[in-house]
Amino acid sequence: MASIALRFPPSELPESALHLRDEVRAFVKEEIAAGTFQPTVDSWLSGISPEFSRKLGERGWLGMSWSKKYGGHERSLLDRFVVSKELLAAGAPVGVHWAGDRQTGPMLETHGTEYQKQKYLPAMARGECFFALGLSESDAGSDLANVRTRATQTEGGWLLNGSKIWSSGAHHAHAMVVLCRTSPKDDSNRHAGISQLMIETDQEGVTIRPIHLITGVHHFNEVVFENAFVPDNMVVGEIGGGWAQVVSELAFERSGPERFLSTFPLFLEFLKVVKGTREPRIQEMVGNLTARYTALYNMSLRVMGMLAQGERVDTEAALVKDVGTRYESELTEALRLLVHERGSFAEPTRFESQLMKALLHSPGFTLRGGTNEILRGMIARGLGLR
Amino acid sequence: MILADQILVESATKLLSDLSTVEVINASEKGEWAKDLWETLEDSGLTLACVPEQLGGAGASLTDAFAIIRLAGYFAAPVPLADTLLASYALAQAKQKVPLGPMTFIPVGSNNQLTAELTGDSWVLSGQAIAVPWARHAAHVVARVDCDGKPCLVLIPRSGIQVTEANSMSGEPADDITISDVSLAKDAIIPAASSDQALNNLGALTRVTGMVGSIEKVLHQSVQYATERVQFGRPIAKFQAIQQELAILAGESAAAQVIVDAAIGEVESAGAEEAGLRIAAAKARVGEAAGKATRISHQVHGAIGFTYEHPLHHCTRRIWAWREEYGIESEWATLLGKTVIDHGPDALWPWITA
């Protein structure tokens, strides 16, 4: 028998998490009733509401797994999973805190200095300080180790030069952690000489320029660094150790329920439209789509269970993300064929506006967080093919 | 969630791996009963795993029994483990002592035209049933028959049936049977304790569980083959096109596995009838995985995998055959979708995540 590294051991939510789930559901229901937000697809990219993020912070639903010492709540990753999946399924506006809460915070807690943790984590957990990611560059997309942004040592710190692109929400963010070269590229070890430096977005030498999506909406940014000074106390982890740090961060980036739920609010809108239908074609498709969500939910839960146990889940997370993100678009394609009427563009129905948004956002689903082709390469490695 | 007993899983794995060999599977398709395999399974208590001890079984959980069915799918075991499970489950639910030996089960449905008439003091059974799995090798057939308008199970010994042999796509027996005026003892008529829906649900669950095992196997076979087969001077595993396809196959295998586990978990916690929708979801999703898994595994294997000589077909043919049994996936998807639409959007997420 071939050796297969992929495994999905059963995982179950503890009683405490089920209780938490009910709390989040009740909260979301109230917020929707109060008109705080309208459910929207891709809400973890496009749902921007610092006020909503602060409300989550007040309830203890940000920084959930972090140490209490740093404003966290010392709850398990499964508890965080519960809050995430409920907010995403409801299409709640979680975009502004998403990346920081998901990956920068845990990374800082592991690799940051006491000063950094004290300064940023409590504010992040309150929903008052937001982070953008500083990873991709024009020549470093899937090939992240090819980053060219560089930092050179100077009196008391580092001078940062270069630029990051696709930094979602950088224009709302207070700070970002920038992956950069602190020593020249060594072709025999491409992962050496890479570091993570933290920088605040309003400081001198940092320019944020909008990059508009195909919707025309501003979510992406180019962030340019021109001799931006980073004091030594803003170096995250080890100089030269940035690659290992960022790889561990990516497990958090890839494993969450946002990798299959981006278009779930569209499905809910669809069910309102077809309420009471007896068309077998629609019934069958709804059944198939529900079945696919059920499988993805269980895969996602199992990956989170492993992550909560401290296991490495790189390959399994890549697999769920590959299946899940392809499905986000496939759902959209399936639903559009089941609703015949098309109305005014001046006053589209909620289903119509969400359908257009889901389609226009769909190219991003299988690109962000590592393109699916690269992820499948990782899965192939996990299978022992390479 | 109840977990399958690891010792039981390990011993079943060892046993099936030793005895469900290519030769045994091919001989079975030619009509030879896999006697050694069956008897060894039976001696180890694996054929009646979830039947309570006082009724003649091993007293293990339903989860354990399904773990065995999955392994039987993985090793393409040419014996009626799934059908014996169904027959023994129906009998055990009705508090009947379960006989040893291979069994098969005939649920209600258009394939079941059996009738029982009370003649004098005894019940007389007649009629036909088609595509009955493993009928020719079954020591007993358990059939759902109405007796005096009441849902009953009848336990029919092999001697009472005439068999017209036929095989399904898998190469496993799926015989048509005829029963002509067979008098049954009073105690061979048992009031059914499980609903037809429960038994049908469970039947579907045995099929998707077997498919999960077989899909896992074709993934393993394909990975193995890709690392061994050399073209253009290197193993085909080194080609990205092959890697991408096998990654998709791995995703389908994982999706099939988790959704079937969820359905088994619900049968354990809520019962076979109540778990119907989760089983419907499993049938729909595994049916989809089946199509992709068979396509990709055959594509990766090239022409050799298209031949009888190579054992890939032991699992791919079973996957195709089981997909057709106990309702095709569109039927189950329609049932699930109808319920989802009726219950409305607010009920959907709680159900998916239950």
Side-chain angles (χ1 to χ4, degrees):
Chain A
M1 195 191 301
S3 90
I4 298 291
L6 298 190
R7 77 244 120 89
F8 287 85
S11 173
E12 206 169 43
L13 293 175
E15 202 60 41
S16 63
L18 297 180
H19 190 71
L20 175 64
R21 174 197 70 190
D22 294 340
E23 278 178 54
V24 182
R25 280 185 188 163
F27 166 75
V28 162
K29 212 171 161 188
E30 281 166 28
E31 292 292 308
I32 293 175
T36 312
F37 72 91
Q38 263 199 311
T40 179
V41 300
D42 210 9
S43 71
W44 59 280
L45 174 70
S46 66
I48 302 299
S49 171
E51 193 196 337
F52 190 80
S53 296
R54 271 192 295 276
K55 281 188 192 171
L56 296 179
E58 276 165 25
R59 278 167 178 74
W61 295 341
L62 297 181
M64 288 185 73
S65 65
W66 312 345
S67 158
K68 286 184 179 164
K69 195 175 159 197
Y70 305 116
H73 305 282
E74 297 183 4
R75 303 193 66 152
S76 81
L77 285 173
L78 284 171
D79 286 344
R80 180 176 184 276
F81 171 78
V82 163
V83 173
S84 302
K85 76 176 171 70
E86 292 302 325
L87 293 172
L88 293 163
V94 293
V96 72
H97 69 259
W98 196 258
D101 186 67
R102 175 183 67 195
Q103 64 193 87
T104 317
M107 193 273 293
L108 280 179
E109 193 174 27
T110 309
H111 300 291
T113 64
E114 191 60 26
Y115 164 77
Q116 293 161 357
K117 291 193 258 193
Q118 294 283 3
K119 183 167 180 193
Y120 293 101
L121 292 177
M124 291 169 84
R126 287 194 303 272
E128 291 169 3
C129 175
F130 307 121
F131 271 70
L133 300 180
L135 300 172
S136 297
E137 297 180 9
S138 48
D139 289 324
S142 294
D143 183 9
L144 192 56
N146 201 38
V147 291
R148 297 205 173 137
T149 295
R150 65 188 191 284
T152 47
Q153 204 149 18
T154 183
E155 176 76 37
W158 299 78
L159 284 180
L160 193 62
N161 281 286
S163 68
K164 292 291 169 183
I165 49 173
W166 326 137
S167 288
S168 299
H171 53 310
H172 302 297
H174 302 95
M176 57 199 291
V177 175
V178 178
L179 190 73
C180 62
R181 290 221 146 265
T182 41
S183 48
K185 192 166 159 190
D186 171 1
D187 280 329
S188 67
N189 184 1
R190 307 177 71 231
H191 299 154
I194 292 178
S195 306
Q196 286 187 304
L197 305 187
M198 194 161 21
I199 197 157
E200 297 199 348
T201 49
D202 61 356
Q203 79 168 67
E204 208 177 316
V206 179
T207 310
I208 299 177
R209 297 189 189 125
I211 301 173
H212 297 99
L213 295 183
I214 58 175
T215 52
V217 177
H218 174 196
H219 293 300
F220 277 170
N221 296 280
E222 179 182 23
V223 184
V224 181
F225 311 102
E226 291 161 302
N227 285 326
F229 178 68
V230 180
D232 282 327
N233 64 10
M234 293 286 263
V235 172
V236 180
E238 299 293 318
I239 285 292
W243 185 256
Q245 294 168 205
V246 85
V247 165
S248 70
E249 183 182 328
L250 292 181
F252 288 98
E253 175 165 4
R254 288 173 178 156
S255 56
E258 68 268 40
R259 303 305 182 174
F260 71 98
L261 285 174
S262 302
T263 52
F264 187 74
L266 178 68
F267 193 32
L268 295 183
E269 286 299 333
F270 172 81
L271 290 176
K272 290 182 199 164
V273 175
V274 299
K275 189 170 184 280
T277 185
R278 286 283 168 271
E279 251 191 79
R281 194 172 70 108
I282 296 180
Q283 293 172 335
E284 183 185 342
M285 185 54 84
V286 167
N288 278 320
L289 296 171
T290 302
R292 295 182 71 180
Y293 274 121
T294 308
L296 279 162
Y297 170 72
N298 282 286
M299 288 164 88
S300 183
L301 171 63
R302 287 177 181 216
V303 169
M304 200 48 66
M306 285 192 281
L307 202 58
Q309 300 277 319
E311 292 180 46
R312 284 198 65 156
V313 296
D314 308 13
T315 312
E316 289 81 5
L319 184 139
V320 178
K321 186 171 175 299
D322 177 44
V323 180
T325 53
R326 280 188 281 123
Y327 177 58
E328 291 179 327
S329 297
E330 286 162 13
L331 172 98
T332 314
E333 291 292 320
L335 295 183
R336 62 171 280 275
L337 294 175
L338 297 175
V339 178
H340 299 238
E341 293 82 23
R342 296 288 184 272
S344 158
F345 287 101
E347 282 180 64
T349 64
R350 193 72 195 152
F351 175 72
E352 287 167 344
S353 70
Q354 292 296 299
L355 177 64
M356 288 187 279
K357 183 173 175 185
L359 283 168
L360 291 167
H361 278 237
S362 65
F365 302 158
T366 47
L367 296 173
R368 58 192 178 191
T371 66
N372 287 46
E373 289 70 21
I374 296 293
L375 296 174
R376 290 199 286 269
M378 291 172 58
I379 298 163
R381 186 178 293 121
L383 289 172
L385 291 166
R386 45 185 290 231
Chain B
M1 185 181 282
I2 298 173
L3 297 178
D5 183 272
Q6 272 317 299
I7 294 168
L8 178 138
V9 166
E10 277 162 32
S11 71
T13 305
K14 169 89 175 62
L15 197 160
L16 287 163
S17 142
D18 289 348
L19 297 177
S20 188
T21 59
V22 172
E23 296 72 31
V24 167
I25 299 166
N26 284 341
S28 168
E29 189 169 350
K30 291 198 179 73
E32 197 176 307
W33 169 239
K35 189 165 178 288
D36 270 5
L37 172 59
W38 178 267
E39 284 173 0
T40 314
L41 287 165
E42 192 166 80
D43 291 346
S44 313
L46 297 173
T47 59
L48 300 179
C50 65
V51 172
E53 282 172 33
Q54 66 271 25
L55 298 179
S61 68
L62 209 56
T63 302
D64 290 328
F66 277 98
I68 297 166
I69 301 291
R70 175 171 161 179
L71 286 167
Y74 186 93
F75 291 103
V79 282
L81 278 172
D83 303 291
T84 301
L85 165 73
L86 290 170
S88 65
Y89 175 87
L91 291 175
Q93 289 294 103
K95 303 278 181 276
Q96 291 299 304
K97 188 122 177 92
V98 179
L100 281 175
M103 289 192 283
T104 189
F105 178 67
I106 306 176
V108 286
S110 56
N111 282 2
N112 176 353
Q113 308 285 338
L114 300 173
T115 55
E117 300 257 346
L118 190 59
T119 309
D121 225 13
S122 65
W123 287 92
V124 175
L125 194 66
S126 304
Q128 287 91 38
I130 61 167
V132 180
W134 293 99
R136 79 189 73 151
H137 295 305
H140 290 92
V141 174
V142 175
R144 242 297 276 118
V145 178
D146 283 340
C147 296
D148 209 10
K150 293 186 197 69
C152 288
L153 302 169
V154 292
L155 184 64
I156 317 156
R158 172 66 179 85
S159 56
I161 64 176
Q162 292 124 39
V163 166
T164 307
E165 293 191 359
N167 287 357
S168 79
M169 255 188 295
S170 62
E172 290 185 349
D175 302 321
D176 295 342
I177 66 166
T178 305
I179 297 176
S180 316
D181 297 334
V182 171
S183 291
L184 292 167
K186 263 256 156 71
D187 62 359
I189 305 268
I190 305 142
S194 312
S195 69
D196 289 325
Q197 205 191 327
L199 294 171
N200 193 50
N201 288 348
L202 218 54
L205 190 54
T206 61
R207 290 336 190 236
V208 289
T209 304
M211 287 162 78
V212 164
S214 284
I215 291 171
E216 216 175 346
K217 177 63 175 280
V218 299
L219 169 65
H220 292 183
Q221 285 174 310
S222 301
V223 168
Q224 177 101 35
Y225 182 78
T227 53
E228 289 165 3
R229 170 70 174 165
V230 174
Q231 286 287 273
F232 303 101
R234 51 188 172 145
I236 61 170
K238 298 297 166 201
F239 291 97
Q240 289 193 358
I242 300 287
Q243 294 171 5
Q244 297 276 310
E245 287 285 280
L246 289 177
I248 289 172
L249 173 49
E252 293 303 301
S253 172
Q257 178 199 320
V258 301
I259 201 164
V260 166
D261 281 356
I264 294 168
E266 194 160 308
V267 171
E268 285 277 20
S269 65
E273 186 168 329
E274 293 73 8
L277 290 180
R278 196 88 41 197
I279 291 170
K283 197 76 164 80
R285 184 63 184 89
V286 177
E288 184 196 345
K292 291 184 186 167
T294 47
R295 178 188 68 75
I296 293 171
S297 59
H298 272 293
Q299 189 69 16
V300 167
H301 276 81
I304 190 70
F306 189 38
T307 65
Y308 198 88
E309 180 193 337
H310 192 281
L312 178 65
H313 66 87
H314 288 154
C315 281
T316 55
R317 287 163 65 212
R318 278 175 172 76
I319 293 168
W320 281 321
W322 290 334
R323 193 163 61 160
E324 304 299 316
E325 296 177 12
Y326 284 95
I328 54 175
E329 53 269 34
S330 56
E331 224 174 287
W332 288 96
T334 305
L335 169 76
L336 174 60
K338 184 177 176 305
T339 314
V340 168
I341 291 167
D342 285 348
H343 290 197
D346 291 346
L348 179 60
W349 186 241
W351 185 82
I352 289 170
T353 59

